[in-house]
């Protein structure tokens, strides 16, 4: 571990001003912190369960009951026992023999079935020349369909697939120590495959290696050849021909043309009949570049593949349509509150869709487009919940948001993550884990030796803080409910207690449940949907109750009984109201707090326990980079050069965030993704308007927010949720 002796004094002074120094010391902690395990008690937390509301049958039938008892296995660990043969020669050729025994299902007559489909016949019958006979129409159909299918896919070549799997197996063993796969998650996928219906797998692209790693993993587990959708623009013609023979799928260029283009109608019809999986994976050239970068590493690493619980798409389409409710745009919901025109928040959901509008999606009806967008929210929610939290994310969050000893805080934050039902991707001795994590982050932190066994860890200013903020964002889903609640409490206290006041002064204020609901709703509407990833079937008011319950469970809020309210334990005079009696069954939560009229007399105080101030500050700072970027975007409105294209204005805002970071030290906000999120949110809020022009759509500042006073109101509205 390197120590920066020359710049120690200067670095310590700068870090002391920013309050970001962290000591790596184990003094004061017992033996229970010497080891970190990826489970609480006896079992690991199960993650990635499908939605019980939209897919109740899949939730029950496609769940493996003994999943908690099953561990991980390495898919690249191939031995003599994995083949049908035995002997010393088999032990030396086990990779090759294993590749020969892989099951590759025979290719069915897909072109004939596609040509006979109703949609293709209907489209191509109208494209036949006038006066053409029946035979000529058939030849025309064959030529058109075969041309499009030749671009989309080719029959898999068993020899090439086995050769490729053998080469990839040897290469992955050279690159990784192991590729872990949870046996229980694989059992659920096998159970879904036994239904006899095709499987569609969507990837969240955690790495550039996904395009070759995931097909190999599924092929090795007996699921056959995975048809992978690739982006044709990143592949050369020769590479595209090879990937088609290995099971690759390529969207025809005509499929992304506008709906009024006659050339794209046939391509979209053939794609619909061929059932191409959703999503595009990165090209092979980018994968090869990443492999070249990994080849020079002296230490091999481990890889884990997560699989969420499968669910029936047919069941989802039937049940999801019954969960639709009224929705309003963000401009209708939030703009009157921001400008002070009203105080009540409408009892409706937010309509905010950032799904890219492509050719195949435009070909669907409006109702089906909405169904696809809701499906994407469900899939992203499950995939994020399935992903394990890595040690670098925990360390980055501690370095950015905590100011205490790393060993104890690392163990505590790992335990808190597991308590919230999220998995972690590491285990081992605590001191070794912390030192290894700091080694991975050595380019972004400085390590200063204080005593013989203690180190002072200081994040490097500039791009190092930006990188740590990106890593810490991976921890946000585990603490999102508490973080939203803490920022909402901060916004509620903003007008009552000075932010620099003592913690005891904030605990004096009474917070009514209705006020908490309102603040949580305002923050939920402000935060982007791709950050919250709320399930579409869950209402915002149900989520408000969940946030409030989490704040009570973690000890930040305590119930306070006012003299005029009924005692909490007095159940003798409680009655179910008519509103509650006639509620639909899906509207009930774990408590009866959804009856907001009965919540008038419920009050809370901030807990005065010794650990609460630090935990409250930690939760608020998890959302700090995003909220600070939004506030700086509001202050930039009078400086931005408008009208401009969306990408041009985003670049202007990003440069402003970088300049502000140099002045104020807020480098965690200087992220281009935060600039994009701010521009999209302001567009939905009605701050920016997108107006068509001959050169394309351009952003304009709306007349309402052209007034400097309204710009200041927007910035003040955002800053009330920020805890400095």
């Amino acid at each position: 571990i390197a120590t920066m002796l020359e710049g120690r004094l200067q670095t310590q002074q700068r870090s002391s001003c920013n309050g970001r120094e962290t000591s790596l010391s184990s003094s004061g902690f017992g033996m229970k912190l010497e080891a970190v395990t990826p489970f609480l008690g006896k079992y690991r937390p199960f993650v990635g369960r499908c939605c019980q509301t939209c897919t109740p049958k899949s939730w029950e039938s496609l769940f493996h009951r003994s999943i908690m008892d099953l561990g991980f296995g390495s898919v690249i660990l191939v031995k003599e026992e994995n083949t049908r043969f035995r002997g010393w020669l088999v032990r030396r050729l086990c990779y090759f023999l294993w590749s020969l025994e892989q099951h590759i299902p025979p290719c069915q007559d897909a072109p004939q079935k596609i040509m006979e489909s109703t949609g293709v016949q209907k489209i191509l019958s109208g494209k036949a020349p006038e006066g053409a006979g029946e035979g000529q129409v058939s030849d025309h159909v064959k030529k058109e369909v075969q041309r499009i299918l030749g671009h989309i896919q080719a029959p898999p070549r068993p020899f090439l697939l086995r050769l490729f799997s053998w080469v990839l197996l040897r290469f992955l063993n050279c690159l990784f120590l192991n590729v872990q796969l949870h046996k229980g998650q694989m059992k659920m996928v096998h159970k879904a495959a036994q239904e006899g219906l095709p499987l569609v797998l969507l990837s969240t692209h955690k790495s550039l290696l996904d395009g070759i790693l995931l097909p190999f993993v599924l092929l090795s587990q007996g699921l056959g050849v995975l048809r992978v959708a690739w982006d044709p623009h990143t592949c050369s013609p020769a590479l595209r021909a090879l990937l088609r023979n290995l099971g690759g799928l390529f969207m025809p260029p005509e499929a992304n043309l506008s709906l009024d283009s006659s050339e794209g109608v046939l391509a979209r019809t053939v794609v619909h009949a061929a059932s191409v999986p959703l999503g595009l994976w990165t090209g092979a050239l980018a994968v090869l570049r990443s492999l070249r970068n990994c080849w020079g590493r002296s230490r091999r690493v481990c890889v884990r593949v997560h699989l969420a619980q499968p669910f029936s798409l047919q069941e989802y389409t039937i049940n999801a349509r019954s969960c639709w409710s009224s929705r309003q745009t963000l401009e209708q919901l939030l703009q009157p509150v921001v400008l002070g025109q009203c105080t009540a928040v409408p009892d409706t959901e937010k309509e905010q869709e950032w799904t890219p509008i492509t050719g195949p999606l435009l070909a669907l009806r409006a109702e089906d487009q909405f169904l696809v967008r809701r499906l994407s929210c469900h899939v992203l929610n499950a995939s994020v919940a399935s992903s394990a939290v890595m040690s670098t994310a925990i360390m980055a969050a501690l370095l950015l948001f905590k100011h205490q000893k790393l060993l104890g805080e690392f163990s505590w934050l790992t335990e808190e993550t597991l308590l919230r039902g999220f998995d972690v991707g590491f285990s081992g001795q605590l001191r070794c884990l912390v030192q290894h994590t700091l080694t991975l982050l050595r380019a972004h932190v400085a390590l200063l030796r204080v005593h013989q066994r203690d180190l002072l860890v200081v994040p490097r200013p500039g791009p190092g803080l930006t990188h740590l903020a990106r890593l810490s964002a991976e921890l946000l889903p585990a603490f999102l409910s508490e973080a939203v609640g803490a920022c909402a409490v901060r916004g509620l206290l903003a007008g009552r207690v000075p932010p620099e006041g003592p913690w005891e002064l904030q605990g004096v204020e009474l917070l009514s449940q209705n006020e908490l609901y309102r603040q949580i709703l305002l923050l939920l509407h402000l935060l982007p949907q791709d950050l919250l990833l709320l399930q579409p079937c869950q209402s915002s008011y149900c989520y408000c109750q969940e946030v409030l319950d989490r704040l009570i469970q973690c000890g930040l809020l305590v119930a306070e009984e006012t003299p005029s309210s009924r005692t909490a334990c007095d159940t003798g005079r409680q009655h179910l109201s008519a509103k509650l009696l006639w509620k639909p069954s899906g509207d009930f939560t774990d408590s009866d707090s959804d009856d907001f009229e009965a919540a008038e007399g419920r009050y809370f105080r901030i807990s005065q326990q010794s650990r609460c101030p630090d935990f409250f500050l930690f939760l608020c700072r998890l959302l700090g980079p995003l909220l600070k970027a939004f506030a700086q975007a509001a202050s930039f409105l009078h400086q931005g050069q408008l009208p401009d294209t969306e990408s041009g204005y985003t670049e202007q805002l990003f440069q402003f965030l970088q300049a502000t970071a140099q002045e104020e030290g807020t480098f965690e906000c200087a992220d281009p993704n935060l600039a994009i999120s701010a521009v999209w949110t302001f567009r939905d809020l009605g701050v920016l308007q997108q107006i068509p022009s001959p050169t394309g759509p351009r952003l304009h500042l709306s007349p309402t927010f052209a007034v400097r006073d309204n710009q200041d109101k927007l910035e003040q509205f955002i800053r009330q949720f920020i805890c400095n």
Side-chain angles (χ1 to χ4, degrees):
I1 300 176
T3 305
M4 300 178 60
L5 296 176
E6 298 82 359
R8 173 181 295 182
L9 180 60
Q10 180 181 0
T11 307
Q12 286 181 347
Q13 291 176 350
R14 181 171 61 248
S15 62
S16 299
C17 297
N18 295 334
R20 298 185 188 276
E21 68 276 4
T22 308
S23 175
L24 176 62
S25 173
S26 59
S27 58
F29 300 102
M31 292 298 295
K32 65 179 182 179
L33 297 178
E34 290 302 320
V36 175
T37 56
F39 48 83
L40 291 175
K42 186 179 179 181
Y43 301 109
R44 305 177 72 98
F46 176 72
V47 294
R49 198 101 188 245
C50 64
C51 180
Q52 189 177 11
T53 302
C54 297
T55 53
K57 294 182 180 178
S58 301
W59 188 87
E60 178 69 25
S61 62
L62 296 180
F63 179 70
H64 197 271
R65 294 298 174 186
S66 59
I67 188 172
M68 300 298 184
D69 300 328
L70 300 176
F72 286 88
S74 179
V75 297
I76 63 174
L77 181 62
V78 176
K79 298 182 179 180
E80 178 185 2
E81 293 77 12
N82 299 105
T83 66
R84 296 178 298 168
F85 309 99
R86 297 293 181 267
W88 67 270
L89 184 60
V90 175
R91 287 191 289 271
R92 287 159 177 78
L93 299 177
C94 57
Y95 287 3
F96 180 72
L97 295 175
W98 174 87
S99 302
L100 293 179
E101 294 179 356
Q102 294 303 305
H103 171 67
I104 299 178
C107 181
Q108 300 177 353
D109 191 12
Q112 185 65 28
K113 292 182 178 180
I114 293 174
M115 283 195 299
E116 295 175 355
S117 64
T118 305
V120 173
Q121 291 288 340
K122 182 178 179 181
I123 294 295
L124 293 181
S125 62
K127 294 172 67 68
E130 296 183 4
E134 184 177 355
Q136 293 175 332
V137 175
S138 178
D139 292 338
H140 184 71
V141 169
K142 292 180 180 179
K143 290 180 181 179
E144 289 285 339
V145 173
Q146 288 176 356
R147 181 188 65 83
I148 297 175
L149 283 178
H151 185 92
I152 296 176
Q153 63 183 5
R157 306 293 182 182
F159 173 76
L160 286 177
L161 286 169
R162 292 190 173 96
L163 179 62
F164 181 75
S165 63
W166 171 69
V167 173
L168 190 58
L169 179 61
R170 296 194 63 88
F171 182 78
L172 292 177
N173 273 278
C174 296
L175 191 63
F176 302 120
L177 284 173
N178 55 62
V179 177
Q180 297 179 354
L181 183 66
H182 196 283
K183 298 178 182 178
Q185 295 177 350
M186 200 66 238
K187 289 282 187 182
M188 294 188 299
V189 177
H190 276 293
K191 195 172 184 179
Q194 293 173 358
E195 301 290 334
L197 298 175
L199 294 178
V200 179
L201 297 102
L202 305 180
S203 171
T204 51
H205 318 306
K206 291 292 185 180
S207 169
L208 292 175
L209 297 175
D210 290 353
I212 59 174
L213 182 60
L214 295 181
F216 170 80
V217 169
L218 297 175
L219 177 64
S220 66
Q221 299 302 307
L223 291 177
V225 181
L226 177 66
R227 289 289 193 172
V228 182
W230 294 77
D231 187 357
H233 300 291
T234 58
C235 301
S236 64
L239 182 59
R240 192 159 56 238
L242 174 63
L243 292 176
R244 275 201 299 266
N245 291 318
L246 293 174
L249 294 172
F250 293 89
M251 191 75 71
E254 305 96 315
N256 287 321
L257 296 177
S258 59
L259 291 180
D260 54 357
S261 174
S262 59
E263 298 180 2
V265 176
L266 176 59
R268 285 191 294 270
T269 307
V270 174
V271 168
H272 182 268
S275 300
V276 176
L278 299 177
L280 294 177
W281 285 348
T282 54
L285 296 180
V287 174
L288 293 176
R289 283 195 297 266
S290 68
L291 297 180
R292 181 188 61 188
N293 296 333
C294 297
W295 189 261
R297 294 179 179 175
S298 59
R299 295 183 178 181
R300 293 186 296 170
V301 297
C302 302
V303 174
R304 183 184 298 179
V305 178
H306 302 277
L307 296 173
Q309 182 184 5
F311 63 91
S312 170
L313 187 59
Q314 182 181 13
E315 181 188 11
Y316 173 80
T317 55
I318 295 175
N319 295 331
R321 298 180 191 274
S322 61
C323 300
W324 292 355
S325 57
S326 60
R327 292 174 175 261
Q328 291 183 358
T329 63
L330 184 61
E331 180 178 356
Q332 296 170 328
L333 287 173
L334 210 55
Q335 190 181 107
V337 180
V338 171
L339 299 178
Q341 299 173 355
C342 71
T343 57
V345 184
D347 184 10
T348 184
E349 301 300 314
K350 177 177 65 173
E351 178 71 28
Q352 187 180 46
E353 303 296 347
W354 290 356
T355 308
I357 305 298
T358 58
L361 186 60
L362 283 174
L364 301 176
R365 298 177 301 173
E367 182 181 3
D368 293 333
Q369 291 183 24
F370 188 54
L371 189 66
V372 170
R373 293 189 179 105
R374 291 170 62 93
L375 175 63
S376 64
C377 292
H378 272 290
V379 172
L380 285 175
N381 180 281
S383 62
V384 170
S386 302
S387 301
V389 177
M390 305 308 295
S391 60
T392 51
I394 293 180
M395 182 62 67
L398 291 175
L399 292 175
L400 284 176
F401 310 133
K402 301 291 288 187
H403 316 288
Q404 300 181 11
K405 301 182 184 299
L406 277 183
L407 289 180
E409 298 295 343
F410 189 91
S411 179
W412 163 79
L413 194 52
T414 301
E415 184 176 350
E416 290 291 332
T417 303
L418 293 169
L419 282 172
R420 284 157 178 80
F422 279 75
D423 196 8
V424 295
F426 55 90
S427 62
Q429 294 297 319
L430 177 60
R431 181 174 288 274
C432 295
L433 269 176
V434 172
Q435 291 179 348
H436 174 68
T437 306
L438 291 176
T439 302
L440 296 176
L441 298 175
R442 61 185 177 273
H444 311 288
V445 298
L447 305 177
L448 309 176
R449 190 174 297 279
V450 181
H451 301 294
Q452 184 176 1
R453 297 185 59 190
D454 293 344
L455 292 175
L456 188 69
V457 185
V458 183
R460 298 182 187 272
L465 287 177
T466 306
H467 182 75
L468 292 179
R470 290 198 192 105
L471 291 176
S472 65
E474 299 177 6
L475 192 65
L476 183 57
F479 295 87
L480 184 58
S481 298
E482 293 93 331
V484 169
C487 291
V489 171
R490 177 61 244 160
L492 197 57
L493 294 174
R496 305 182 186 180
V497 181
E500 64 275 3
W503 180 259
E504 293 78 9
L505 185 61
Q506 301 188 34
V508 174
E509 293 293 326
L510 280 178
L511 309 175
S512 70
Q513 183 165 324
N514 283 343
E515 291 175 328
L516 287 171
Y517 278 148
R518 180 180 179 274
Q519 286 297 118
I520 294 173
L521 269 179
L522 291 177
L523 185 55
L524 285 180
H525 292 329
L526 177 65
L527 294 177
Q529 193 167 1
D530 62 344
L531 172 72
L532 295 172
L533 290 180
L534 300 182
Q535 293 184 343
C537 55
Q538 183 183 20
S539 67
S540 299
Y541 280 96
C542 290
Y543 188 74
C544 287
Q545 183 59 46
E546 179 183 336
V547 170
L548 189 58
D549 290 343
R550 289 288 187 92
L551 292 179
I552 297 173
Q553 291 170 5
C554 68
L556 286 179
L557 287 183
V558 292
E560 181 72 17
E561 296 176 356
T562 59
S564 59
S565 63
R566 184 174 61 240
T567 308
C569 60
D570 183 10
T571 59
R573 290 176 290 175
Q574 292 184 4
H575 301 281
L576 292 176
S577 65
K579 180 179 179 181
L580 188 61
L581 284 172
W582 291 103
K583 269 190 174 183
S585 59
D587 290 346
F588 284 100
T589 57
D590 294 337
S591 64
D592 60 350
S593 300
D594 282 343
D595 192 4
F596 297 103
E597 296 178 357
E600 287 288 346
R602 296 173 186 162
Y603 290 86
F604 301 89
R605 291 186 191 273
I606 297 182
S607 175
Q608 296 299 306
Q609 297 181 14
S610 58
R611 68 177 184 87
C612 286
D614 288 338
F615 190 43
F616 182 83
L617 188 63
F618 168 76
L619 293 174
C620 289
R621 287 182 172 177
L622 283 177
L623 286 173
L626 176 70
L627 293 174
K628 289 179 182 178
F630 279 18
Q632 294 176 15
S635 65
F636 178 68
L637 289 175
H638 69 282
Q639 303 180 27
Q641 302 296 324
L642 289 173
D644 196 357
T645 61
E646 183 178 296
S647 59
Y649 186 74
T650 302
E651 181 61 26
Q652 290 186 47
L653 177 58
F654 177 57
Q655 293 178 0
F656 175 77
L657 294 178
Q658 288 182 314
T660 306
Q662 294 289 342
E663 297 175 1
E664 302 178 0
T666 56
F667 291 96
E668 59 269 21
C669 304
D671 192 325
N673 294 326
L674 295 180
I676 294 173
S677 183
V679 171
W680 288 2
T681 301
F682 282 12
R683 183 191 60 195
D684 294 342
L685 187 56
V687 179
L688 302 173
Q689 294 179 345
Q690 197 169 38
I691 300 177
S693 69
T695 59
R698 301 177 69 85
L699 289 178
H700 295 251
L701 188 62
S702 69
T704 302
F705 286 91
V707 182
R708 185 64 181 271
D709 185 45
N710 290 339
Q711 297 176 9
D712 295 338
K713 289 180 180 179
L714 175 62
E715 184 178 359
Q716 293 172 5
F717 174 81
I718 299 173
R719 290 196 179 276
Q720 68 174 327
F721 301 109
I722 301 176
C723 189
N724 296 318

